[in-house]
Amino acid sequence: MAAETGEITTMKIFLKILVPLAFSFALVAGAKEIKLLNVSYDPTRELYQDYNAAFAKFWKAKTGDDVVVAQSHSGSGKQAQSVINGLEADVVTLALAYDIDAISQQAKLLPADWQKRLPDNSTPYSSTIVFLVRKGNPKHIKDWDDLVKPNVVVVTPNPKTSGGARWNYLAAWAYALDKYGHDDAQARDFVKRLYKNVPVLDSGARGSTTTFVEREIGDVLLAWENEAHLAIKQFGVDKFDIVTPPLSILAEPPVAVVDRVARKHGTADVARAYLEYLYSDEGQDIAGRNFYRPRSEKAAAKYAGQFAPVKLVTVDEAFGGWQKAQKTHFADGSVFDQIFQP
Amino acid sequence: MKLNQLFLATVAGMQLVFPARSADDTATNSTGAAQAEIPAYTASGGSAQSAEAAEIEALKKEIQELSQKVQALAHQRDLDQQTNTDTAREQIQDLDQQVRILGRQRELDQESAVATAKALPKISAGADGFSFTSADTNFSLALHGVLQVDSRSFFANDNVQGDNSFLLRRARPILQGTVYRDFDFVFVPDFGGSVVQIFDAYVNYRYAPELQLQAGKFKSPVGLETLQSDVNILFNERSLATDLVPNRDVGFALHGDLFNGAASYAAGIFNGAPDYSGTTTNADFDSFKAFAGRVFLQPLKNSDVAVLKGFGFGLGGSYEQDHAWTNTASTGLTPGYTTDGQQKFFTYTNGVAGHGTHWRIAPQGSYYYGPLGVFGEYVISDQQIRNVPRHLNAELQNTAWDISGSWLLTGEDAAPNGVEPKHPFNPKRGQWGAWQVVGRFAELDVDNHAFPNYANPNTSASEAKAWAAGLNWYLNRNIRVDASFSHTWFDGGTGPGATVTKQPENVLFTRIQLGF
């Protein structure tokens, strides 16, 4: 008797409790706010500030969900190391492919072929390296040769921590190779002389901009093209001039979903959409508006006027790809460590 | 330029003076170079004029040359001055750059020092315990602890109930840490009471807040009050309802928090633990395993409705098979249900053991709003048992419930995870910590079919009811002083040999607690 009574009581209790429990689960599951963390490099602050707002609006209209994208900015190499060390980025938008390769290889957070997942090698916009000089260009800096003159002070960040700095370094090296008939020894000497004119190494591109623009140090800042335009936009055309050298490097900052983190956060779909939307008309327009060179013909044509013509060499052409360039020039004990004495 | 102009003016003046001087010279016959030439000028009319003109011309030429020299000298001086100015300006600019560079390098050095400091392991000591953590926070080790010094005073006990005593209720160092970011561990021995035990020893893998796997010995996820931390319970002892839920058990559990903590769940497989027992074991006594789980929802936790944010409810339960054959420590049965004063008011008779299904279900709820806290649960523990010597089987369904309330007189927010005084105890500043009144009612009903074949109706009660009230004083987050009174009365258990259940139990508790 006791057993039968117990079973009936149990059934009643289950029915009385499980129904409201299920209802409550549905209630709790209704509200949805998605949070993404975009770990990026230094000079993209303004770009992603604009873009995040546009994407949130797009995603809300498409799905009804709210997306809040948090940004993290620093030197690209430092950011990659932070992700490797556990910073839970849903997406990374870094200065160069090597840094995302490092995340893939060292932390296994995304597949090795990540760069094939989006168009243009997962690089929705490009840029190059230009010279930002003081108004009137008092040191008459026109080309890379002018940077190695004894009386010229050059500002550029540390290639060990900054992606932009590595682009700067390689652009100078590529120029020297072009000038000296691909003689590595002369190129090395040229770059060594250039870095003799560098008194301060910031850890990131934005830090170097601060050094040059706000601390008024140096005659020329080696800068991302967008960063140079931004400095003029922010501080006035009466303060600086942009000098685009005849030859520079094609800088391709890539983007990628950090698969394992996004899966863990349940944000894989929205993270992928977030990066894909960079290739949309609106995404490309925002890139152009922020002085990046858009990939789409439409946006490229619209913003062509703001970019001076320049012969661009690629890392693959001049250095055999990022892996090789990194190993040769920026790894511990490699060329940069040998030529630069702080 | 001024010097140059002065010189030219002087020379021009000399030109104007010359004719007069010639006349004077003629008149006075002065001697000298000019005097020697002038006679030719004065000696004959035409030739004299010619000589004078030549002389003037020569003088003019000489003046021009002198003028050019002066101009050259002045220009050179100007150039020198300009050069000196430019050099000085350049030197100033260079110095200015050097100063700026040094300033910037100092800034960068400071930034670097901050970054380096961030890269160093962090040591901290505070109200939350003592810990050190690697710079990347992937590794950490923390020391926490609980020390509870109690007193129990039994009233009107006719010397047949519990002893009035001081006791070390809990003395537990808590070693807690994280390795490789996602793996937590906890190790908690207890040196309180009479038996040294390992209470908690487990590893927890956090894949995500929503999905975690825990393995080892830890609290079985069933009872609401049982799952509350020992340092945060309202009274010295948990309620009668806790008598029917499992305590610590050894096994594995999946658990997690969903929707930013609005829902939590846990489900695991365990050795199986008897109804609440202070003494826990580290090994199984049979081959059968227990399943236990719990869901708890706080649907409006993240809403803007403040008055309902602290409302939660849930359901815990367990299911297991017990097949023990002797009435030893491994019977699969509770060693006895205890009163607030920790006296056994019900025990199974010798030879009775768990023999079949044992399931529990425990609906539960809580509500916290401002200084008010209320929680309660209802527990059914249904167990098939066997009187081994007499070959008798039965399924008993024991039930219990309780409701507890608290109110913070000093206005702090009540919470299941403790009270943080607004004004920690400091009499010199007129601060007296937080004061909380607490009350509780609880009941435990033993299935009547337990008597007489499985329990002695003379010495075990079939029902116990208890109320309790008390005052808790939180001096700060770490020190707490409690005083409470509990009254328990019984149905049955008043026959020959009865002790505990012979009369109601009245106990005054006090506690001094250190928790960090």
Side-chain angles (χ1 to χ4, degrees), chain B residues 273-287:
Chain B
D275 288 348
Y276 197 86
S277 168
T279 304
T280 62
T281 60
N282 299 329
D284 206 352
F285 66 90
D286 61 18
S287 298

Side-chain angles (χ1 to χ4, degrees), chain B residues 420-492:
Chain B
E420 180 161 5
K422 288 181 177 175
H423 305 292
F425 178 73
N426 188 338
K428 291 176 182 173
R429 293 185 178 178
Q431 295 180 183
W432 301 100
W435 293 81
Q436 180 186 45
V437 290
V438 292
R440 178 171 76 194
F441 187 85
E443 179 180 345
L444 191 156
D445 185 19
V446 178
D447 193 322
N448 288 335
H449 294 90
F451 305 99
N453 293 330
Y454 306 95
N456 184 345
N458 292 325
T459 56
S460 286
S462 66
E463 186 179 73
K465 294 179 181 176
W467 62 260
L471 181 65
N472 297 336
W473 179 23
Y474 300 83
L475 282 78
N476 48 52
R477 279 184 61 187
N478 301 122
I479 303 291
R480 173 177 162 181
V481 177
D482 301 345
S484 64
F485 181 82
S486 170
H487 175 71
T488 306
W489 66 102
F490 309 99
D491 184 5

Side-chain angles (χ1 to χ4, degrees), chain A residues 41-56:
Chain A
Y41 61 107
D42 245 347
T44 58
R45 286 175 171 81
E46 294 74 16
L47 166 67
Y48 282 106
Q49 195 174 339
D50 287 356
Y51 177 73
N52 291 346
F55 178 75

Side-chain angles (χ1 to χ4, degrees), chain B residues 279-300:
Chain B
T279 304
T280 62
T281 60
N282 299 329
D284 206 352
F285 66 90
D286 61 18
S287 298
F288 299 94
K289 294 293 166 275
F291 300 92
R294 178 175 176 264
V295 175
F296 197 81
L297 304 176
Q298 296 170 272
L300 299 172

